[in-house]
Short mmCIF file of all heavy atoms in Angstrom, two decimals:
data_model
loop_
_atom_site.label_atom_id
_atom_site.label_comp_id
_atom_site.label_asym_id
_atom_site.label_seq_id
_atom_site.Cartn_x
_atom_site.Cartn_y
_atom_site.Cartn_z
N MET T 1 15.78 -3.18 -6.89
CA MET T 1 14.36 -3.23 -7.28
C MET T 1 13.77 -1.82 -7.22
O MET T 1 14.02 -1.08 -6.28
CB MET T 1 13.60 -4.15 -6.32
CG MET T 1 12.25 -4.60 -6.84
SD MET T 1 11.32 -5.51 -5.57
CE MET T 1 11.39 -7.16 -6.23
N ALA T 2 13.02 -1.46 -8.26
CA ALA T 2 12.38 -0.14 -8.29
C ALA T 2 11.34 -0.04 -7.18
O ALA T 2 10.74 -1.04 -6.79
CB ALA T 2 11.73 0.11 -9.64
N VAL T 3 11.15 1.18 -6.68
CA VAL T 3 10.20 1.39 -5.59
C VAL T 3 8.81 0.86 -5.97
O VAL T 3 8.13 0.21 -5.19
CB VAL T 3 10.11 2.88 -5.21
CG1 VAL T 3 9.03 3.11 -4.15
CG2 VAL T 3 11.44 3.36 -4.69
N ARG T 4 8.42 1.14 -7.21
CA ARG T 4 7.12 0.69 -7.69
C ARG T 4 6.97 -0.83 -7.53
O ARG T 4 5.94 -1.32 -7.09
CB ARG T 4 7.00 1.08 -9.17
CG ARG T 4 5.72 0.65 -9.81
CD ARG T 4 5.81 0.88 -11.33
NE ARG T 4 4.58 0.50 -11.97
CZ ARG T 4 4.23 -0.75 -12.24
NH1 ARG T 4 5.02 -1.73 -11.92
NH2 ARG T 4 3.08 -1.00 -12.83
N ASP T 5 8.01 -1.57 -7.89
CA ASP T 5 7.96 -3.03 -7.80
C ASP T 5 7.98 -3.49 -6.35
O ASP T 5 7.38 -4.50 -6.00
CB ASP T 5 9.13 -3.65 -8.57
CG ASP T 5 9.03 -3.35 -10.06
OD1 ASP T 5 7.90 -3.24 -10.57
OD2 ASP T 5 10.09 -3.22 -10.70
N GLU T 6 8.69 -2.75 -5.50
CA GLU T 6 8.72 -3.11 -4.08
C GLU T 6 7.34 -2.93 -3.46
O GLU T 6 6.90 -3.75 -2.66
CB GLU T 6 9.72 -2.21 -3.34
CG GLU T 6 11.15 -2.59 -3.58
CD GLU T 6 12.07 -1.83 -2.65
OE1 GLU T 6 12.27 -2.30 -1.52
OE2 GLU T 6 12.54 -0.75 -3.04
N VAL T 7 6.67 -1.84 -3.83
CA VAL T 7 5.32 -1.58 -3.31
C VAL T 7 4.38 -2.68 -3.78
O VAL T 7 3.61 -3.26 -3.01
CB VAL T 7 4.81 -0.19 -3.75
CG1 VAL T 7 3.35 0.00 -3.36
CG2 VAL T 7 5.66 0.91 -3.12
N LEU T 8 4.47 -3.01 -5.05
CA LEU T 8 3.62 -4.05 -5.61
C LEU T 8 3.88 -5.40 -4.92
O LEU T 8 2.95 -6.11 -4.54
CB LEU T 8 3.89 -4.17 -7.13
CG LEU T 8 3.12 -5.26 -7.86
CD1 LEU T 8 1.62 -5.05 -7.72
CD2 LEU T 8 3.52 -5.30 -9.33
N ALA T 9 5.16 -5.74 -4.74
CA ALA T 9 5.51 -7.01 -4.11
C ALA T 9 4.98 -7.08 -2.68
O ALA T 9 4.51 -8.12 -2.22
CB ALA T 9 7.04 -7.19 -4.12
N LEU T 10 5.04 -5.95 -1.97
CA LEU T 10 4.55 -5.89 -0.59
C LEU T 10 3.04 -6.12 -0.55
O LEU T 10 2.55 -6.92 0.24
CB LEU T 10 4.92 -4.53 0.02
CG LEU T 10 4.41 -4.25 1.43
CD1 LEU T 10 5.01 -5.25 2.42
CD2 LEU T 10 4.77 -2.83 1.85
N ILE T 11 2.32 -5.45 -1.41
CA ILE T 11 0.86 -5.60 -1.44
C ILE T 11 0.49 -7.03 -1.84
O ILE T 11 -0.42 -7.63 -1.27
CB ILE T 11 0.23 -4.57 -2.42
CG1 ILE T 11 0.43 -3.16 -1.88
CG2 ILE T 11 -1.26 -4.85 -2.62
CD1 ILE T 11 0.03 -2.05 -2.85
N GLU T 12 1.23 -7.59 -2.78
CA GLU T 12 0.96 -8.96 -3.21
C GLU T 12 1.22 -9.95 -2.08
O GLU T 12 0.48 -10.92 -1.90
CB GLU T 12 1.83 -9.32 -4.42
CG GLU T 12 1.27 -8.76 -5.72
CD GLU T 12 2.16 -9.08 -6.93
OE1 GLU T 12 3.33 -9.47 -6.74
OE2 GLU T 12 1.67 -8.91 -8.04
N ARG T 13 2.27 -9.70 -1.32
CA ARG T 13 2.63 -10.61 -0.23
C ARG T 13 1.53 -10.61 0.83
O ARG T 13 1.25 -11.64 1.43
CB ARG T 13 3.97 -10.16 0.36
CG ARG T 13 4.66 -11.21 1.19
CD ARG T 13 6.14 -10.92 1.33
NE ARG T 13 6.42 -9.73 2.11
CZ ARG T 13 7.17 -8.72 1.68
NH1 ARG T 13 7.69 -8.73 0.49
NH2 ARG T 13 7.38 -7.68 2.45
N LEU T 14 0.94 -9.45 1.08
CA LEU T 14 -0.07 -9.33 2.13
C LEU T 14 -1.46 -9.77 1.65
O LEU T 14 -2.35 -10.01 2.46
CB LEU T 14 -0.16 -7.88 2.62
CG LEU T 14 1.02 -7.41 3.44
CD1 LEU T 14 0.99 -5.91 3.59
CD2 LEU T 14 1.03 -8.08 4.80
N SER T 15 -1.63 -9.84 0.36
CA SER T 15 -2.93 -10.14 -0.24
C SER T 15 -3.61 -11.34 0.41
O SER T 15 -2.95 -12.35 0.64
CB SER T 15 -2.72 -10.42 -1.74
OG SER T 15 -3.89 -10.95 -2.29
N PRO T 16 -4.90 -11.29 0.73
CA PRO T 16 -5.84 -10.20 0.46
C PRO T 16 -5.97 -9.18 1.59
O PRO T 16 -6.93 -8.42 1.61
CB PRO T 16 -7.17 -10.95 0.29
CG PRO T 16 -7.06 -12.07 1.29
CD PRO T 16 -5.59 -12.43 1.34
N SER T 17 -5.03 -9.16 2.53
CA SER T 17 -5.10 -8.19 3.62
C SER T 17 -4.69 -6.81 3.13
O SER T 17 -3.74 -6.69 2.35
CB SER T 17 -4.17 -8.61 4.76
OG SER T 17 -4.54 -9.86 5.24
N PRO T 18 -5.38 -5.77 3.60
CA PRO T 18 -5.07 -4.42 3.15
C PRO T 18 -3.93 -3.78 3.96
O PRO T 18 -3.69 -4.14 5.12
CB PRO T 18 -6.38 -3.67 3.40
CG PRO T 18 -7.05 -4.40 4.50
CD PRO T 18 -6.57 -5.82 4.46
N ILE T 19 -3.24 -2.85 3.34
CA ILE T 19 -2.17 -2.11 4.04
C ILE T 19 -2.32 -0.62 3.71
O ILE T 19 -2.64 -0.25 2.58
CB ILE T 19 -0.77 -2.63 3.62
CG1 ILE T 19 0.32 -1.89 4.39
CG2 ILE T 19 -0.55 -2.52 2.11
CD1 ILE T 19 1.72 -2.50 4.22
N CYS T 20 -2.12 0.22 4.73
CA CYS T 20 -2.26 1.66 4.52
C CYS T 20 -0.95 2.27 4.02
O CYS T 20 0.10 1.62 4.08
CB CYS T 20 -2.71 2.34 5.82
SG CYS T 20 -1.43 2.46 7.08
N ASP T 21 -1.02 3.50 3.55
CA ASP T 21 0.16 4.15 3.00
C ASP T 21 1.27 4.34 4.04
O ASP T 21 2.45 4.23 3.74
CB ASP T 21 -0.22 5.52 2.40
CG ASP T 21 -1.16 5.36 1.21
OD1 ASP T 21 -1.20 4.26 0.63
OD2 ASP T 21 -1.84 6.33 0.88
N ASP T 22 0.85 4.62 5.28
CA ASP T 22 1.85 4.80 6.34
C ASP T 22 2.67 3.52 6.52
O ASP T 22 3.89 3.57 6.67
CB ASP T 22 1.17 5.13 7.67
CG ASP T 22 0.52 6.50 7.64
OD1 ASP T 22 1.18 7.45 7.22
OD2 ASP T 22 -0.65 6.60 8.03
N CYS T 23 1.98 2.39 6.53
CA CYS T 23 2.68 1.12 6.73
C CYS T 23 3.52 0.73 5.52
O CYS T 23 4.59 0.16 5.66
CB CYS T 23 1.69 0.01 7.09
SG CYS T 23 0.96 0.25 8.73
N VAL T 24 3.05 1.07 4.32
CA VAL T 24 3.86 0.84 3.12
C VAL T 24 5.16 1.63 3.25
O VAL T 24 6.25 1.10 3.03
CB VAL T 24 3.10 1.26 1.83
CG1 VAL T 24 4.04 1.29 0.64
CG2 VAL T 24 1.93 0.32 1.56
N ALA T 25 5.05 2.90 3.63
CA ALA T 25 6.23 3.76 3.77
C ALA T 25 7.19 3.19 4.82
O ALA T 25 8.40 3.14 4.61
CB ALA T 25 5.80 5.17 4.16
N GLU T 26 6.62 2.72 5.93
CA GLU T 26 7.48 2.20 7.00
C GLU T 26 8.16 0.90 6.60
O GLU T 26 9.35 0.71 6.79
CB GLU T 26 6.64 2.00 8.26
CG GLU T 26 7.50 1.76 9.47
CD GLU T 26 6.66 1.58 10.73
OE1 GLU T 26 5.79 2.42 10.96
OE2 GLU T 26 6.89 0.58 11.44
N LYS T 27 7.39 -0.01 6.00
CA LYS T 27 7.94 -1.32 5.61
C LYS T 27 9.03 -1.19 4.57
O LYS T 27 9.98 -1.97 4.54
CB LYS T 27 6.83 -2.22 5.04
CG LYS T 27 5.79 -2.63 6.05
CD LYS T 27 6.14 -3.97 6.64
CE LYS T 27 5.11 -4.39 7.66
NZ LYS T 27 5.67 -5.32 8.66
N LEU T 28 8.89 -0.21 3.68
CA LEU T 28 9.85 -0.07 2.59
C LEU T 28 10.87 1.02 2.85
O LEU T 28 11.67 1.36 1.98
CB LEU T 28 9.10 0.20 1.27
CG LEU T 28 8.14 -0.90 0.82
CD1 LEU T 28 7.47 -0.52 -0.49
CD2 LEU T 28 8.85 -2.23 0.68
N ASN T 29 10.82 1.59 4.08
CA ASN T 29 11.75 2.66 4.44
C ASN T 29 11.70 3.84 3.48
O ASN T 29 12.74 4.40 3.12
CB ASN T 29 13.19 2.13 4.50
CG ASN T 29 13.39 1.25 5.71
OD1 ASN T 29 12.95 1.58 6.81
ND2 ASN T 29 14.02 0.11 5.51
N LEU T 30 10.49 4.19 3.04
CA LEU T 30 10.35 5.38 2.20
C LEU T 30 10.40 6.60 3.11
O LEU T 30 9.87 6.56 4.22
CB LEU T 30 9.02 5.35 1.45
CG LEU T 30 8.79 4.14 0.54
CD1 LEU T 30 7.43 4.23 -0.12
CD2 LEU T 30 9.88 4.05 -0.52
N PRO T 31 11.04 7.68 2.66
CA PRO T 31 11.18 8.86 3.51
C PRO T 31 9.86 9.52 3.90
O PRO T 31 9.75 10.07 4.99
CB PRO T 31 12.05 9.81 2.69
CG PRO T 31 12.10 9.26 1.32
CD PRO T 31 11.77 7.80 1.40
N THR T 32 8.86 9.47 3.04
CA THR T 32 7.60 10.11 3.38
C THR T 32 6.41 9.24 3.00
O THR T 32 6.50 8.41 2.09
CB THR T 32 7.42 11.46 2.62
OG1 THR T 32 7.38 11.18 1.22
CG2 THR T 32 8.55 12.42 2.91
N ARG T 33 5.30 9.49 3.70
CA ARG T 33 4.06 8.77 3.39
C ARG T 33 3.55 9.17 2.01
O ARG T 33 2.91 8.39 1.31
CB ARG T 33 3.01 9.10 4.44
CG ARG T 33 1.71 8.34 4.25
CD ARG T 33 0.71 8.68 5.34
NE ARG T 33 0.37 10.11 5.34
CZ ARG T 33 -0.49 10.68 4.49
NH1 ARG T 33 -1.10 9.94 3.60
NH2 ARG T 33 -0.74 11.96 4.56
N GLN T 34 3.84 10.43 1.62
CA GLN T 34 3.38 10.91 0.32
C GLN T 34 3.95 10.05 -0.81
O GLN T 34 3.28 9.80 -1.81
CB GLN T 34 3.80 12.38 0.10
CG GLN T 34 2.93 13.38 0.82
CD GLN T 34 3.17 13.42 2.33
OE1 GLN T 34 4.18 12.92 2.81
NE2 GLN T 34 2.24 13.98 3.08
N GLN T 35 5.18 9.60 -0.64
CA GLN T 35 5.78 8.74 -1.67
C GLN T 35 5.03 7.42 -1.77
O GLN T 35 4.78 6.91 -2.86
CB GLN T 35 7.24 8.46 -1.34
CG GLN T 35 8.16 9.55 -1.79
CD GLN T 35 9.61 9.08 -1.84
OE1 GLN T 35 9.88 7.91 -2.04
NE2 GLN T 35 10.52 10.01 -1.66
N ALA T 36 4.69 6.86 -0.61
CA ALA T 36 3.94 5.60 -0.60
C ALA T 36 2.58 5.81 -1.24
O ALA T 36 2.13 5.00 -2.05
CB ALA T 36 3.79 5.11 0.84
N SER T 37 1.95 6.92 -0.87
CA SER T 37 0.61 7.18 -1.38
C SER T 37 0.62 7.43 -2.89
O SER T 37 -0.26 6.99 -3.61
CB SER T 37 0.02 8.31 -0.55
OG SER T 37 -0.57 9.26 -1.32
N TYR T 38 1.67 8.09 -3.37
CA TYR T 38 1.83 8.30 -4.81
C TYR T 38 1.94 6.96 -5.54
O TYR T 38 1.28 6.72 -6.55
CB TYR T 38 3.09 9.16 -5.04
CG TYR T 38 3.50 9.29 -6.48
CD1 TYR T 38 2.72 10.01 -7.37
CD2 TYR T 38 4.67 8.70 -6.94
CE1 TYR T 38 3.09 10.14 -8.70
CE2 TYR T 38 5.07 8.82 -8.26
CZ TYR T 38 4.28 9.53 -9.14
OH TYR T 38 4.65 9.65 -10.45
N ARG T 39 2.75 6.06 -5.00
CA ARG T 39 2.96 4.75 -5.63
C ARG T 39 1.71 3.88 -5.61
O ARG T 39 1.38 3.23 -6.59
CB ARG T 39 4.09 4.00 -4.93
CG ARG T 39 5.43 4.68 -5.02
CD ARG T 39 5.95 4.67 -6.44
NE ARG T 39 7.08 5.57 -6.57
CZ ARG T 39 7.74 5.76 -7.71
NH1 ARG T 39 7.38 5.11 -8.80
NH2 ARG T 39 8.73 6.59 -7.76
N THR T 40 1.03 3.87 -4.46
CA THR T 40 -0.15 3.02 -4.37
C THR T 40 -1.26 3.55 -5.28
O THR T 40 -2.02 2.79 -5.85
CB THR T 40 -0.67 2.90 -2.92
OG1 THR T 40 -0.85 4.19 -2.36
CG2 THR T 40 0.29 2.12 -2.05
N ARG T 41 -1.32 4.90 -5.41
CA ARG T 41 -2.33 5.48 -6.30
C ARG T 41 -2.08 5.05 -7.75
O ARG T 41 -3.01 4.76 -8.49
CB ARG T 41 -2.28 7.00 -6.22
CG ARG T 41 -3.38 7.58 -5.35
CD ARG T 41 -3.70 9.03 -5.65
NE ARG T 41 -2.57 9.87 -5.98
CZ ARG T 41 -1.82 10.53 -5.09
NH1 ARG T 41 -2.11 10.46 -3.80
NH2 ARG T 41 -0.82 11.28 -5.46
N LEU T 42 -0.79 5.02 -8.13
CA LEU T 42 -0.46 4.61 -9.49
C LEU T 42 -0.80 3.14 -9.74
O LEU T 42 -1.18 2.75 -10.83
CB LEU T 42 1.04 4.83 -9.77
CG LEU T 42 1.51 6.26 -9.95
CD1 LEU T 42 3.01 6.26 -10.26
CD2 LEU T 42 0.76 6.94 -11.07
N LEU T 43 -0.62 2.33 -8.69
CA LEU T 43 -0.86 0.89 -8.85
C LEU T 43 -2.34 0.54 -8.84
O LEU T 43 -2.76 -0.46 -9.43
CB LEU T 43 -0.15 0.11 -7.73
CG LEU T 43 1.36 -0.02 -7.86
CD1 LEU T 43 1.95 -0.55 -6.56
CD2 LEU T 43 1.72 -0.96 -9.00
N ALA T 44 -3.13 1.37 -8.15
CA ALA T 44 -4.55 1.08 -8.01
C ALA T 44 -5.22 0.96 -9.38
O ALA T 44 -4.93 1.74 -10.28
CB ALA T 44 -5.23 2.16 -7.18
N GLY T 45 -6.05 -0.05 -9.52
CA GLY T 45 -6.75 -0.22 -10.78
C GLY T 45 -6.04 -1.19 -11.71
O GLY T 45 -6.60 -1.63 -12.71
N SER T 46 -4.79 -1.51 -11.39
CA SER T 46 -4.09 -2.51 -12.20
C SER T 46 -3.73 -3.69 -11.30
O SER T 46 -3.64 -3.55 -10.08
CB SER T 46 -2.82 -1.93 -12.83
OG SER T 46 -1.89 -1.59 -11.84
N LYS T 47 -3.54 -4.83 -11.88
CA LYS T 47 -3.13 -6.04 -11.17
C LYS T 47 -4.05 -6.39 -10.00
O LYS T 47 -3.62 -6.95 -8.99
CB LYS T 47 -1.68 -5.92 -10.67
CG LYS T 47 -0.69 -5.74 -11.81
CD LYS T 47 0.72 -5.58 -11.29
CE LYS T 47 1.69 -5.08 -12.36
NZ LYS T 47 1.95 -6.05 -13.42
N GLY T 48 -5.31 -6.00 -10.13
CA GLY T 48 -6.28 -6.37 -9.08
C GLY T 48 -6.14 -5.55 -7.81
O GLY T 48 -6.68 -5.89 -6.77
N ILE T 49 -5.38 -4.45 -7.87
CA ILE T 49 -5.18 -3.64 -6.67
C ILE T 49 -6.24 -2.56 -6.55
O ILE T 49 -6.50 -1.83 -7.51
CB ILE T 49 -3.77 -3.02 -6.67
CG1 ILE T 49 -2.75 -4.16 -6.53
CG2 ILE T 49 -3.61 -2.01 -5.53
CD1 ILE T 49 -1.33 -3.73 -6.67
N GLU T 50 -6.85 -2.49 -5.39
CA GLU T 50 -7.87 -1.48 -5.16
C GLU T 50 -7.51 -0.67 -3.93
O GLU T 50 -6.82 -1.14 -3.04
CB GLU T 50 -9.25 -2.13 -4.99
CG GLU T 50 -9.34 -3.04 -3.78
CD GLU T 50 -10.76 -3.50 -3.49
OE1 GLU T 50 -11.55 -3.62 -4.43
OE2 GLU T 50 -11.06 -3.76 -2.31
N ARG T 51 -7.99 0.57 -3.91
CA ARG T 51 -7.78 1.47 -2.79
C ARG T 51 -9.12 1.84 -2.21
O ARG T 51 -10.03 2.18 -2.94
CB ARG T 51 -7.10 2.74 -3.27
CG ARG T 51 -5.64 2.81 -2.99
CD ARG T 51 -5.03 3.89 -3.82
NE ARG T 51 -5.04 5.18 -3.13
CZ ARG T 51 -4.24 5.45 -2.10
NH1 ARG T 51 -3.42 4.55 -1.64
NH2 ARG T 51 -4.27 6.62 -1.52
N ARG T 52 -9.23 1.79 -0.92
CA ARG T 52 -10.47 2.24 -0.29
C ARG T 52 -10.22 2.47 1.19
O ARG T 52 -9.17 2.12 1.72
CB ARG T 52 -11.56 1.20 -0.49
CG ARG T 52 -11.25 -0.13 0.18
CD ARG T 52 -12.45 -1.03 0.07
NE ARG T 52 -12.27 -2.22 0.91
CZ ARG T 52 -13.17 -3.16 1.02
NH1 ARG T 52 -14.30 -3.08 0.37
NH2 ARG T 52 -12.96 -4.21 1.79
N ARG T 53 -11.23 3.06 1.84
CA ARG T 53 -11.11 3.30 3.26
C ARG T 53 -11.47 2.02 4.00
O ARG T 53 -12.55 1.48 3.83
CB ARG T 53 -12.04 4.44 3.67
CG ARG T 53 -11.49 5.18 4.83
CD ARG T 53 -12.21 6.47 5.11
NE ARG T 53 -11.78 6.91 6.43
CZ ARG T 53 -10.64 7.55 6.65
NH1 ARG T 53 -9.87 7.87 5.64
NH2 ARG T 53 -10.28 7.88 7.87
N ASP T 54 -10.52 1.52 4.81
CA ASP T 54 -10.74 0.26 5.51
C ASP T 54 -9.73 0.16 6.65
O ASP T 54 -8.90 1.05 6.84
CB ASP T 54 -10.56 -0.91 4.53
CG ASP T 54 -11.39 -2.14 4.94
OD1 ASP T 54 -11.76 -2.23 6.12
OD2 ASP T 54 -11.65 -2.99 4.07
N ILE T 55 -9.80 -0.95 7.38
CA ILE T 55 -8.87 -1.15 8.49
C ILE T 55 -7.58 -1.76 7.96
O ILE T 55 -7.59 -2.81 7.33
CB ILE T 55 -9.49 -2.11 9.54
CG1 ILE T 55 -10.87 -1.63 9.99
CG2 ILE T 55 -8.54 -2.27 10.72
CD1 ILE T 55 -10.85 -0.36 10.80
N CYS T 56 -6.46 -1.11 8.26
CA CYS T 56 -5.16 -1.62 7.85
C CYS T 56 -4.84 -2.89 8.63
O CYS T 56 -5.06 -2.95 9.84
CB CYS T 56 -4.09 -0.55 8.10
SG CYS T 56 -2.41 -1.15 7.88
N SER T 57 -4.31 -3.91 7.96
CA SER T 57 -4.03 -5.18 8.63
C SER T 57 -2.75 -5.12 9.46
O SER T 57 -2.44 -6.02 10.22
CB SER T 57 -3.93 -6.30 7.60
OG SER T 57 -2.83 -6.09 6.75
N ILE T 58 -1.97 -4.06 9.31
CA ILE T 58 -0.72 -3.93 10.06
C ILE T 58 -0.90 -3.06 11.31
O ILE T 58 -0.55 -3.47 12.41
CB ILE T 58 0.39 -3.30 9.18
CG1 ILE T 58 0.51 -4.00 7.83
CG2 ILE T 58 1.73 -3.27 9.93
CD1 ILE T 58 1.18 -5.35 7.84
N CYS T 59 -1.45 -1.85 11.14
CA CYS T 59 -1.56 -0.93 12.28
C CYS T 59 -2.99 -0.83 12.83
O CYS T 59 -3.21 -0.18 13.83
CB CYS T 59 -1.05 0.46 11.88
SG CYS T 59 -2.12 1.29 10.67
N TYR T 60 -3.93 -1.49 12.15
CA TYR T 60 -5.34 -1.52 12.58
C TYR T 60 -6.01 -0.15 12.61
O TYR T 60 -7.04 0.02 13.25
CB TYR T 60 -5.48 -2.22 13.94
CG TYR T 60 -4.93 -3.61 13.92
CD1 TYR T 60 -3.77 -3.94 14.62
CD2 TYR T 60 -5.54 -4.61 13.17
CE1 TYR T 60 -3.24 -5.22 14.57
CE2 TYR T 60 -5.02 -5.89 13.11
CZ TYR T 60 -3.87 -6.19 13.81
OH TYR T 60 -3.34 -7.44 13.76
N GLY T 61 -5.41 0.83 11.94
CA GLY T 61 -6.05 2.14 11.83
C GLY T 61 -7.02 2.12 10.66
O GLY T 61 -6.81 1.39 9.69
N GLU T 62 -8.08 2.93 10.76
CA GLU T 62 -8.99 3.04 9.62
C GLU T 62 -8.49 4.14 8.71
O GLU T 62 -8.52 5.31 9.06
CB GLU T 62 -10.42 3.34 10.09
CG GLU T 62 -11.40 3.25 8.92
CD GLU T 62 -12.81 3.66 9.29
OE1 GLU T 62 -13.17 3.60 10.47
OE2 GLU T 62 -13.55 4.05 8.36
N LYS T 63 -7.98 3.75 7.56
CA LYS T 63 -7.33 4.68 6.65
C LYS T 63 -7.59 4.27 5.23
O LYS T 63 -8.25 3.28 4.96
CB LYS T 63 -5.81 4.66 6.88
CG LYS T 63 -5.39 4.98 8.30
CD LYS T 63 -3.90 4.89 8.41
CE LYS T 63 -3.46 5.06 9.86
NZ LYS T 63 -2.01 4.93 9.98
N LEU T 64 -7.00 5.03 4.31
CA LEU T 64 -7.01 4.62 2.91
C LEU T 64 -6.02 3.47 2.79
O LEU T 64 -4.84 3.61 3.10
CB LEU T 64 -6.55 5.77 2.03
CG LEU T 64 -7.61 6.52 1.23
CD1 LEU T 64 -6.92 7.54 0.33
CD2 LEU T 64 -8.45 5.56 0.38
N VAL T 65 -6.49 2.33 2.39
CA VAL T 65 -5.63 1.15 2.29
C VAL T 65 -5.61 0.63 0.86
O VAL T 65 -6.49 0.93 0.06
CB VAL T 65 -6.13 0.03 3.23
CG1 VAL T 65 -6.05 0.47 4.68
CG2 VAL T 65 -7.55 -0.40 2.87
N SER T 66 -4.59 -0.14 0.56
CA SER T 66 -4.49 -0.79 -0.74
C SER T 66 -4.47 -2.29 -0.51
O SER T 66 -3.88 -2.76 0.47
CB SER T 66 -3.19 -0.42 -1.45
OG SER T 66 -3.06 0.96 -1.51
N ARG T 67 -5.12 -3.01 -1.40
CA ARG T 67 -5.02 -4.46 -1.30
C ARG T 67 -5.25 -5.07 -2.66
O ARG T 67 -5.80 -4.45 -3.56
CB ARG T 67 -6.03 -5.02 -0.30
CG ARG T 67 -7.46 -4.85 -0.73
CD ARG T 67 -8.36 -5.66 0.15
NE ARG T 67 -9.74 -5.55 -0.32
CZ ARG T 67 -10.68 -6.42 0.02
NH1 ARG T 67 -10.41 -7.41 0.82
NH2 ARG T 67 -11.89 -6.28 -0.43
N GLN T 68 -4.78 -6.29 -2.78
CA GLN T 68 -4.97 -7.01 -4.03
C GLN T 68 -6.09 -8.01 -3.84
O GLN T 68 -6.06 -8.78 -2.87
CB GLN T 68 -3.68 -7.72 -4.42
CG GLN T 68 -3.68 -8.19 -5.85
CD GLN T 68 -2.40 -8.87 -6.20
OE1 GLN T 68 -1.89 -9.66 -5.45
NE2 GLN T 68 -1.87 -8.56 -7.37
N VAL T 69 -7.06 -7.99 -4.73
CA VAL T 69 -8.20 -8.89 -4.58
C VAL T 69 -8.26 -9.90 -5.73
O VAL T 69 -7.61 -9.72 -6.75
CB VAL T 69 -9.53 -8.12 -4.52
CG1 VAL T 69 -9.64 -7.40 -3.19
CG2 VAL T 69 -9.66 -7.15 -5.65
ZN1 LIG I 1 -1.25 0.72 8.57
#
């Protein structure tokens, strides 16, 4: 599965709970947070995915999170 699809599947699975880029990277074993952030940025705005500053449902940190609404 392509990384893009894995990120999308993860966000969809958690929906409507938000997840931050750090947790996306950790869950998908991506080498860097930048990769996660790049992917979530590309997905934002499509398939009901939005990015905003909020509390991550996994690590409870206030960060830029992605979620599907
Ligand atoms: Zn998190």
Side-chain angles (χ1 to χ4, degrees):
M1 197 187 251
V3 175
R4 178 189 181 281
D5 296 329
E6 284 189 86
V7 172
L8 178 60
L10 176 62
I11 293 172
E12 280 178 345
R13 197 159 67 235
L14 289 167
S15 169
S17 300
I19 182 170
C20 73
D21 295 340
D22 292 311
C23 291
V24 168
E26 192 179 310
K27 293 265 179 206
L28 299 181
N29 288 316
L30 301 179
T32 63
R33 183 179 61 79
Q34 282 74 16
Q35 277 198 28
S37 134
Y38 172 68
R39 297 292 168 180
T40 52
R41 259 202 322 272
L42 287 182
L43 285 168
S46 65
K47 299 178 193 291
I49 293 173
E50 63 171 29
R51 258 165 90 72
R52 63 173 190 179
R53 209 169 167 81
D54 207 339
I55 307 291
C56 171
S57 64
I58 310 285
C59 68
Y60 303 111
E62 189 185 337
K63 303 179 186 178
L64 255 185
V65 296
S66 307
R67 66 168 183 161
Q68 194 179 43
V69 288

